[in-house]
């Protein structure tokens, strides 16, 4: 049954239909704002209607993007007229409130972003990036040019590329809107299309080059003073883009695909404190796989690092995030954590800005020419798209009410009253613009830099170099980048910046040096001198820069950074991204650093495990043998050795180098020769396996040390099976048990694998461990027979396998396996799916569930994959805050998980060169690797070079067996727990 064919009417919370729009003055009075601030209305209807983005030009005029057509029609409905508008507002009397309007451009479909450039504006309106310009100063654009085209516009208007933002490097950055495209440039028809999915991107306005960058932002993009890029998505208030794809792709053997750091808390932990009732439309969505979360971020947008100077003392640099569904804006403060940041709400229990008016819909935030924070309020009765609301609940909402309304507010320190924009920068001289690079207001600095780049006046160069040398912190940063964008940054100026006292200047100087270290010379020497810089983010940039150098000293420097920062995954990835084919040299450099402060145990284990993977993925047999001989030294400290050897084994396995014999492994095959080196390495490996066996079974040892030891045992042959099976005892930590399951499968003997479905063990498994065993057995064709033997023996019930897995088995490529599966599992579907829902619906929904009993049901059956109230797994979406969903809708999606699968949680089947089959959701990807998270919650980083095939699977990862496993009373208790 397809989604939308089953109607289930949600019950409206009291008062949902009584919400009435407030006049602008009344809406202003409904705000509660953080002490020390003031909020003023600067524009309202009819001057603005459905505003979603703004930008001030150098003359202080305000360009407003009006997405009046939102929401776009549902699939199958007739196309709507193009209602989108770009308006230009002016303040004619200088009182700080806009009073005049021209319609700069009309006839747009669903415009959602704007950025001034060269007397005009870029506007994002998928599938196009438009450039609009008024050449005769009548307030109406007479130039309308398609700059880029091919951005996907097939999903709802909520899911489109947006937020054109000029970076300090002269590129215009865009968020993907969780969408992709096949982008071409009409001005450059000879250039091949750039094809991508859900990746952010950038465009160079001078060269016309377009390319994909790190991150997958939805609606919000901002830079801080030091050039760090931040994005957001519904449940992710603040992401930082730490690495770029081109860094990770330069080492084709590096299985690492992540580019963003969660700076803020996320999901159920990302608390907000609204003043209005829970009317988030997502909370009416009839699926346990959706992400509605009253009291937590559910529509984070417009993330904005404020760099203006009109806020209270000490508040510059705050991160502001709009939450339109719950009528508020949150202020967060950042702290440094390693090479990245963490952020938290500035006030616990109270918001920066919240309204009692449920029509207040903040969607975009910006800095103005006066240094104040500007808040764009779309002002709608309901903000979400009807496509994300179940058909039976849509009657509760009016998705078009407010199309003719909209407000823009100015927020500043209590004593900073609104004022006119003044003359702006349009008429400023070149030298005046250079002096503005040190202005206290970030808007002034950014605009001055943009105008200098647009004018390309060589008269600015001496003054820019002087600013790098003698200017304020901000002037030095902007001058550096302006010189680079103008092609005038000389080595002497760059070296001056790398010697600066401010870490931010050094960090950006090293970033600029990245393309120059290849040539060696003084720039490389200066970068090498910063290996021991006290600032972690400078060291991160040093690692990224040195990865471009072939100089032998670069490897030693990378090893030094790894010793110090190896526990930081971003710095570690930066280091290994630049090693390339120099793993042996890196190991030599790592080992020769004995005179330096030793790495922490965590750093040593993480670095050596990643290095082992690189050796396994790329090294010759002799190099890999030498690695075993070196790291398996019996006299060395044990805590990191299993991690290094397990990493090597994983890399070797990924290349498909094992002989395939049961009980063997690529690691054992490696040391099986009769050369002196192989003989010595084999002996040392045997000692390490003995030590690893002791460590794996030592309950008092840290889990993070036991797990690598268990991983190593999986590559140590059939004799390891017995100790591994003992680790499946219920008393062992879950991480130990799941590692043991993986290791037993790696051992590969049928006897060992059959131990996974021993009757006593199977009955003692937790739901998560059962899922891990099933996932493991289905991943290798050699073990499918073991699973079916367990079914035939009555140990593994067909309901535990579930319809999705049963379908896979019934369609197995081996006809004999498929026939046996159909014979054993043919009736699995009968007790599940829609028949199970029909059988259970009346009985379950008629019961009064018990919340206290429902908690343990959730913990036992759901917590392995789903988070609820801040705890649980992340295989599936967070389930917090779903109390508005009707009980029958919750039951439907517990019992029939295939009914509807939340976007982003689709299942994929991956065939690998080593013969394994992995099934899970793609969590992240780059050009060189991807990370798959399986139904047991395990993450698998896979090199694209090791892929045989990748295909979307039609079913959900969630088992369809709850209608059989749970009695009606337990289902009613679970639903009561989720609806409390």
């Amino acid at each position: 049954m397809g989604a939308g064919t089953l109607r289930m009417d949600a019950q409206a919370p009291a008062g949902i239909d009584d919400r009435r729009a407030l006049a602008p003055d009344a809406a202003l009075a409904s705000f509660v704002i953080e002490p020390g601030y003031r909020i003023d209305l600067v524009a309202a209807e009819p001057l603005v209607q459905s505003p979603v983005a703004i930008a001030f030009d150098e003359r202080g005029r305000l360009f407003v993007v009006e997405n009046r057509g939102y929401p776009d029609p549902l699939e199958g409905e007739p196309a709507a007229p193009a209602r989108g508008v770009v308006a230009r507002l002016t303040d004619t009397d200088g009182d700080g409130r806009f009073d005049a309007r021209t319609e700069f451009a009309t006839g747009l479909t669903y415009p959602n972003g704007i950025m001034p450039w060269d007397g005009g504006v870029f506007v994002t309106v998928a599938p196009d990036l438009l450039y609009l310009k008024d050449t005769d100063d009548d307030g109406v654009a007479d130039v309308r040019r398609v700059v880029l085209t091919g951005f996907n516009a097939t999903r709802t208007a909520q899911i489109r590329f947006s937020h054109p933002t000029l970076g300090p490097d002269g590129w215009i950055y865009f968020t993907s809107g969780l969408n992709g495209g096949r982008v071409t440039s009409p001005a450059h028809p000879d250039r091949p299309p750039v094809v991508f999915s859900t990746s952010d991107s950038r465009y160079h306005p001078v060269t016309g080059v377009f390319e994909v960058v790190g991150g997958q932002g939805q609606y919000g993009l901002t830079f801080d003073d030091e050039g760090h890029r931040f994005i957001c998505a519904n449940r992710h208030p603040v992401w930082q883009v730490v690495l770029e794809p081109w860094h990770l792709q330069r080492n084709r053997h590096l299985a690492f695909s992540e580019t963003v750091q969660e700076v803020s808390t996320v999901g159920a932990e990302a608390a907000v404190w609204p003043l209005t009732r829970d009317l988030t439309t997502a909370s009416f969505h009839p699926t346990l796989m959706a992400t509605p979360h009253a009291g937590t971020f559910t529509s984070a947008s417009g993330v904005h690092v404020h760099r203006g100077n009109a806020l209270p003392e000490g508040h510059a640099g705050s991160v502001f995030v709009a939450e339109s569904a719950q009528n508020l804006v949150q202020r967060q403060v950042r702290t440094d954590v390693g090479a990245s940041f963490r952020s938290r709400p500035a006030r616990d229990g109270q918001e920066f800005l919240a309204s009692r008016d449920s029509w207040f819909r903040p969607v975009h935030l910006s800095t103005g020419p006066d240094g104040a924070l500007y808040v764009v309020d779309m002002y709608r009765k309901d903000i979400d798209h009807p496509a994300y609301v179940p058909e039976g609940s849509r009657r509760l909402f009016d998705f078009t009410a407010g199309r003719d309304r909209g407000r823009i507010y100015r927020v500043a320190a209590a004593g900073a009253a609104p004022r006119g924009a003044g003359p702006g920068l349009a008429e400023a001289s070149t030298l005046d613009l250079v002096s503005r690079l040190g202005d206290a207001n970030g808007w002034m600095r950014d605009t001055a830099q943009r105008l200098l780049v647009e004018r390309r006046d060589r008269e600015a160069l001496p003054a820019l170099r002087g600013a790098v040398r003698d200017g304020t912190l901000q002037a030095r940063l902007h001058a550096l980048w302006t010189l680079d964008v103008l092609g005038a940054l000389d080595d002497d100026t760059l070296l001056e910046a790398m010697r600066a006292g401010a870490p931010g200047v050094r960090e950006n100087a090293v970033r600029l040096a990245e393309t120059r270290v290849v040539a060696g010379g003084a720039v490389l020497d200066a970068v090498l001198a910063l290996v021991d810089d006290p600032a972690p983010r400078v060291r991160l940039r040093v690692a990224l820069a040195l990865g471009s150098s072939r100089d032998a000293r670069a490897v030693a420097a990378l090893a030094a950074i790894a010793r110090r920062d190896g526990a930081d995954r971003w710095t570690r990835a930066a280091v290994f991204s630049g090693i390339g084919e120099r793993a042996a040299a890196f190991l030599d450099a790592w080992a020769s650093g004995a005179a330096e402060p030793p790495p922490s145990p965590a750093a040593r284990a993480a670095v050596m495990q990643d290095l082992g993977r690189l050796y396994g993925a790329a090294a010759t047999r002799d190099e890999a043998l030498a690695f075993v001989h070196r790291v398996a030294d019996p006299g060395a400290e044990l805590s990191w050795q299993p991690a290094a050897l397990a990493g090597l084994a994983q890399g070797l396995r990924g290349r498909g180098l094992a002989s395939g014999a049961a009980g063997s492994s690529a690691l054992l095959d490696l040391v099986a020769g009769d050369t002196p080196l192989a003989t010595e390495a084999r002996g040392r490996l045997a000692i390490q396996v003995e030590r690893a066996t002791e460590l794996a079974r030592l309950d008092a040892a840290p889990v993070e040390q036991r797990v690598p030891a268990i991983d190593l045992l999986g590559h140590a042959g059939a004799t390891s099976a017995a100790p591994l099976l003992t680790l499946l005892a219920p008393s062992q930590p879950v991480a130990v048990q799941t590692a043991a399951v993986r290791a037993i499968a790696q051992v590969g003997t049928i006897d060992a694998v059959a131990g996974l479905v021993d009757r006593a063990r199977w009955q003692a498994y937790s739901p998560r461990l059962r899922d891990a065993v099933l996932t493991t057995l289905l991943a290798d064709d050699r073990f499918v027979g073991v699973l079916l033997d367990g079914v035939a023996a009555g140990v593994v019930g067909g309901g535990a396998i579930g319809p999705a897995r049963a379908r896979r088995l019934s369609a197995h490529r081996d006809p004999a396996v498929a026939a046996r599966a159909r014979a054993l599992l043919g009736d699995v579907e009968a007790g599940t799916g829609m028949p199970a829902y029909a059988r259970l619906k009346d009985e379950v929904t008629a019961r009064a569930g018990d919340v206290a009993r429902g908690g343990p049901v959730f913990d036992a059956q759901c917590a392995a994959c789903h988070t609820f109230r801040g705890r649980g797994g992340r295989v599936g979406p967070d389930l917090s805050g779903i109390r508005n969903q009707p009980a029958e809708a919750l039951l439907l999606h517990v019992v029939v998980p295939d009914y509807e699968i939340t976007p982003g949680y689709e299942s994929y089947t991956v065939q690998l060169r080593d013969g394994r089959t992995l099934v899970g959701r793609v969590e992240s990807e780059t050009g060189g690797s991807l990370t798959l998270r399986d139904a047991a919650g395990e993450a698998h980083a896979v090199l694209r070079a090791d892929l045989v095939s990748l295909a979307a699977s039609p079913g959900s990862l969630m088992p369809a067996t709850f209608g059989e496993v749970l009695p009606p009373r337990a289902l009613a208790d679970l639903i009561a727990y989720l609806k409390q």
Side-chain angles (χ1 to χ4, degrees), residues 489-770:
L489 180 59
D490 58 88
D491 285 355
D492 289 342
T493 303
L494 185 58
L495 294 171
E496 180 84 25
M498 280 194 274
R499 294 191 292 267
V505 176
R506 298 196 304 275
E507 179 186 353
N508 279 268
V510 175
R511 182 179 166 190
L512 284 162
E514 189 172 318
T515 59
R516 304 185 185 207
V517 297
V518 177
V523 173
L524 174 59
D525 292 343
V527 172
L528 289 167
L530 294 174
V531 164
D532 294 319
D533 193 279
R537 286 193 292 275
V538 175
R539 298 195 298 272
L540 172 72
R541 296 309 314 190
V542 169
L544 291 171
L546 291 178
S548 301
S549 171
R550 299 296 95 186
D551 191 291
R553 294 174 296 167
V555 178
L558 289 170
I561 293 173
R563 275 192 293 273
R564 182 168 183 173
D565 299 309
D568 182 287
R569 63 179 181 140
W570 298 113
T571 306
R572 192 169 69 251
V575 166
F576 285 116
S577 75
I579 287 177
E581 308 299 328
R582 300 177 291 180
F586 178 88
L587 180 57
D588 288 339
W590 171 272
S592 67
E596 300 181 23
S600 68
R604 186 187 294 275
V607 169
M608 292 305 295
Q609 184 159 24
D610 284 354
L611 182 60
R613 287 195 188 99
L614 288 180
Y615 260 88
T620 66
R621 184 175 186 277
D622 286 345
E623 289 171 339
L625 274 173
F627 181 83
V628 174
H629 185 270
R630 190 166 194 167
V631 304
D633 180 0
E637 199 266 320
L638 176 63
S639 64
W640 60 271
Q641 288 175 308
L645 293 168
L648 175 69
Q650 291 158 6
L652 291 168
R653 182 186 65 180
R655 292 164 70 181
L657 297 182
S659 64
S664 184
S665 70
L667 182 59
L668 293 180
D669 291 347
L670 173 69
V671 300
D674 55 6
T675 65
L677 180 59
T679 302
E680 182 69 18
R682 187 165 59 250
R684 289 192 169 194
L685 178 61
I687 294 172
Q688 289 303 319
V689 169
E690 291 179 9
R691 299 174 72 188
T693 302
E694 295 175 4
L695 177 59
R697 300 173 69 176
L698 183 61
D699 292 346
V703 170
E704 59 270 21
Q705 292 183 14
R706 295 178 70 190
V707 168
I710 294 168
D711 290 342
L712 176 58
L713 294 183
H715 300 273
T719 56
S720 295
L724 287 170
L725 286 168
T726 67
L727 298 176
L728 297 177
S731 59
Q732 293 292 336
V734 172
V736 167
Q737 293 183 72
T738 53
V741 170
R742 290 195 309 269
I744 289 165
Q746 177 56 42
V747 168
T749 64
I750 296 301
D751 287 345
V753 174
L756 293 174
V757 289
D758 170 81
R759 188 181 299 275
R761 288 194 187 96
W762 180 264
Q763 291 174 349
Y765 289 158
S766 67
R768 178 174 180 180
L769 197 59
R770 281 192 179 191

Side-chain angles (χ1 to χ4, degrees), residues 427-442:
E427 306 305 325
S429 69
T430 295
L431 293 181
D432 285 342
L433 291 176
V434 174
S435 70
R436 288 287 193 166
L437 298 179
D439 196 278
N441 180 7

Side-chain angles (χ1 to χ4, degrees), residues 219-237:
Y219 193 72
L221 191 160
T222 186
F223 290 90
D224 67 6
D225 280 343
E226 295 173 343
H228 305 113
R229 178 162 56 100
F230 299 87
I231 54 178
C232 64
N234 283 336
R235 307 234 61 212
H236 304 266

Side-chain angles (χ1 to χ4, degrees), residues 114 137 171 191 358 402 437 575 610 614 687 782 789-790 833 886 921:
I114 191 165
D137 202 28
W171 290 76
R191 295 179 180 175
S358 65
L437 298 179
V575 166
D610 284 354
L614 288 180
I687 294 172
R782 296 174 299 167
D789 288 345
R921 69 178 180 91

